[in-house]
Every structure is written in C-alpha cells, then in structure tokens.
Amino acid sequence: VAQVRDNEEYGIADLDHYYEFLGGLSSSVESVRKTNPSSNRSTRPAVLVADSTRVNIKTTDIKATINYEVRTKLLNPKWMKGQMDSGYKGVKNMSKRMEHLIGWQATTSGSVDNWVWSEMADNYVFNEEIRKTMMQENIWAVEDQLQRLMEAYQRGMWEATDEEIEKLKQIYLELESEIEEQEV
C-alpha cells in the first residue's frame, strides 16, 4: 500500500488522516491476507510513502519515513521551541504528534521503533525544563503525552525500562497534584 506525499506543509506524523487512511488500508490488507492461509505472502503488506515534494520523487517504507520525521521535526529542538513559543496550541500540536505515532503503530505494526518512544519521553516529559515550559502553556497536553507514553507501553508498542516507567509514574503524580492545585 502506498501514499503520495505532495505537500511540504504536512509530514506523515502531522495529521491523523495519514494513518487513518494508509494505516487503515494496510490493516485491511493484512486482515484479508490472514483469511487466506494458503497464500505464501507475509500477512503484513509493505507500506510505502512516495515523497513528491521535490523534483526527484523518493519512495521509502513507513518506518524510514517515520524515523526521518521524528529526527528532523519531533525531536528537533528548534521545532519544539517554536511549538512551545506558540503557546497553548503549539504544546497541543506536540501532544497530537505523539497520538499520531500511536495510530501508526496500531495500524502498521512495527512502524515506530522502540527508540522513538524513549526519545520522545526523554525530550518531552523527562526533560524538566521542557516539561515545565509545556505545563505553563498547556498542562492538559502534557497530561496527554504522559498518558500516550503509558498507552504505548501497556499496548506493547514500547519496551520501556523499569526506570522509564517509574519516571512516568512519578511525573504523572506530580502533574496531577499541580492540576488539583490549579482547580482549587
């Protein structure tokens, strides 16, 4: 299954439409292939993204596409700062990207490497300076990030270390305490 990406404004992790449609189609192909056990093919189809935003069209598999976008955008300090400088909506945008990674992993299993989840945790919520800045702008988006990371772990998408899970739990407790203080 393939997706043509013809717009530089949006990457594969920017919109839920990409994983809804391409991931949904991939899941459908996998489901149909599972009902035909006599087939010699793998049940999981190849998922490709053709980037036609430049003169030379480049086609990569979904994992490479996601890894590229994570490295160049989601973990890019300049992009992160720009989002945080945008305030409430910018921090929400950061949180939505994590949600979209869950969508990709759910619909195209194996497309999000384990290192991605660990790096997202390290750069977004374990980094105290970043987390505090995001909390000042949009505490609810930070709560969502923590919940998404825990969801990735609980669904077997992320093989987090015991230390990472303990950090998540501790930060979540601190965050909940801060939310309760704000509501009083």
Side-chain angles (χ1 to χ4, degrees):
V1 294
Q3 169 77 45
V4 175
R5 185 175 162 263
D6 61 356
N7 184 326
E8 283 194 3
E9 247 182 271
Y10 302 108
I12 209 80
D14 291 337
L15 302 169
D16 56 5
H17 301 326
Y18 284 121
Y19 75 80
E20 288 172 344
F21 298 116
L22 185 59
L25 183 57
S26 171
S27 291
S28 296
V29 168
E30 187 171 354
S31 177
V32 167
R33 285 182 175 175
K34 283 180 182 176
T35 63
N36 184 4
S38 62
S39 173
N40 292 331
R41 293 182 295 194
S42 164
T43 58
R44 188 179 308 156
V47 180
L48 305 172
V49 177
D51 186 343
S52 66
T53 59
R54 297 193 177 20
V55 174
N56 295 324
I57 296 172
K58 183 178 179 183
T59 302
T60 55
D61 69 21
I62 190 62
K63 184 185 275 196
T65 303
I66 289 171
N67 285 346
Y68 176 79
E69 190 157 325
V70 166
R71 284 187 182 106
T72 59
K73 185 184 292 181
L74 305 183
L75 297 176
N76 181 328
K78 288 182 180 180
W79 181 83
M80 291 170 63
K81 182 179 181 331
Q83 293 301 307
M84 289 184 293
D85 288 349
S86 295
Y88 184 91
K89 186 163 174 39
V91 175
K92 182 177 182 180
N93 285 338
M94 294 169 76
S95 179
K96 292 303 269 179
R97 296 328 187 269
M98 204 172 290
E99 176 185 329
H100 298 162
L101 291 175
I102 295 246
W104 276 114
Q105 187 69 349
T107 58
T108 57
S109 129
S111 61
V112 181
D113 285 329
N114 200 63
W115 71 264
V116 171
W117 301 111
S118 292
E119 288 294 318
M120 294 294 284
D122 282 345
N123 286 274
Y124 282 47
V125 295
F126 295 163
N127 181 317
E128 188 172 354
E129 181 182 341
I130 300 257
R131 183 179 71 251
K132 297 282 185 191
T133 300
M134 289 192 301
M135 285 172 62
Q136 289 173 351
E137 298 298 335
N138 185 343
I139 197 165
W140 307 109
V142 177
E143 179 185 41
D144 187 60
Q145 290 171 14
L146 288 163
Q147 289 173 345
R148 295 296 177 185
L149 287 165
M150 191 55 85
E151 177 184 357
Y153 169 70
Q154 290 171 338
R155 292 178 65 179
M157 298 173 174
W158 177 28
E159 294 174 16
T161 65
D162 292 341
E163 181 184 346
E164 288 171 324
I165 295 305
E166 283 307 310
K167 279 184 185 179
L168 282 179
K169 289 177 181 177
Q170 185 60 42
I171 292 169
Y172 193 81
L173 290 173
E174 292 170 13
L175 182 89
E176 286 299 306
S177 175
E178 185 137 346
I179 288 172
E180 287 174 12
E181 285 178 22
Q182 287 182 8
E183 290 177 348
V184 173

